[in-house]
Amino acid sequence: MEFELPIGVIFNLDHTLNCGQLFRWYKKKGWWYGVVEGSVIKVKQVDRKLTFKSSTNIDQSFLKNYFRLDDNLSDILSTINLDPFMNKAINHSTGLRLVRQPVWECLISYICSSFSNIRTIKKRIAKISMEFGKRIIFEGDEYYSFPGPDDLANSDIKKLMNCSLGFRIDSVRSVSQKIVSDKTFLDSLMKMTYEKAWDTLAIGNESGKPLRGVGPKVADCFLLFSLDKLEAFPTDVWVKRVVSSKYSHLFHGGFNRKFSTNSGSNTLSTIDYKIISKTMRNYFGEYAGYAQEYLYFYARDGGLI
DNA sequence: ACCCAGGCGATTG
DNA sequence: CAATCGCATGGG
């Protein structure tokens, strides 16, 4: 099946799937292959035409929702294009869109992402899917869906230990059990404001403790990538580098000194994380999350050199 | 061998 | 509050 992008809708599939927000897509012979909500999907873009096929007959509205084609990207880019560096980041990967990721999978994926790198994270997610997901045959090849919360909550610990989770294993189990026992938790997050949802996840509130393995950064990724909180500005080591080298003028001198000397793999304290995140949200506005994603991708592709 | 990667949690002062 | 540290894993 195929569809044309309407005139004026900018979208670049390669940039979108390459930028590091997703862990389940790979490219082979011009086609992108991924597993989304139990469907194997292959998709490619030629100019304005998107061609796709899936193991379950998904329709184009599914992809339009997944790839956030409902976002007015031109408008968004014009609101965040506020300085020369951001302009370069945009030109480096115009057409990059955030993806509306499945909620549960996104949460576990980013718990698995901490203190790691994309290549390793992808392997971890693939192993979890292979151990606990459903096998799907598509065009003669084997794929595995991402397992549900109950598949992981009371899973065989030995099988979980095959997934190279390392110290993240307790978090994955604990969060799975939490989601199984509190069916309304994820829905309730979706209805909260960004700040409330962030606090609930990373800090905890009157009605519960925060989720194990979910801190300031993982919470922001989760909120941005699957709960439609486009103002979230996840700050990892790369984004921190961008901020300290290109946006230090937005901060007080004292704070600047702290977070630039606090270099390397050192962790930001929660309070420092909040200062950075709030400052960048104030600067870029309601679409700070888009700004973050362009900056992140550009920095990783050598934009800071 | 050493350093780094889409950080978090626990412990101390 | 703040500053440290350990945490598993895999690749360069």
Side-chain angles (χ1 to χ4, degrees), chain A residues 21-39:
Chain A
Q21 61 183 317
L22 294 155
F23 305 116
R24 292 274 275 162
W25 287 89
Y26 70 95
K27 197 173 187 180
K28 196 172 75 178
K29 293 182 183 171
W31 290 88
W32 283 97
Y33 292 81
V35 186
V36 183
E37 311 231 47
S39 296

Side-chain angles (χ1 to χ4, degrees), chain A residues 10-28:
Chain A
I10 36 176
F11 176 60
N12 185 298
L13 183 68
D14 282 342
H15 292 153
T16 300
L17 294 179
N18 252 332
C19 77
Q21 61 183 317
L22 294 155
F23 305 116
R24 292 274 275 162
W25 287 89
Y26 70 95
K27 197 173 187 180
K28 196 172 75 178

Side-chain angles (χ1 to χ4, degrees), chain A residues 26 33 35 40 134-138 141-145:
Chain A
Y26 70 95
Y33 292 81
V35 186
V40 182
K134 289 195 186 112
R135 194 165 75 116
I136 308 167
I137 303 295
F138 179 68
D141 291 322
E142 236 177 40
Y143 299 83
Y144 294 87
S145 67

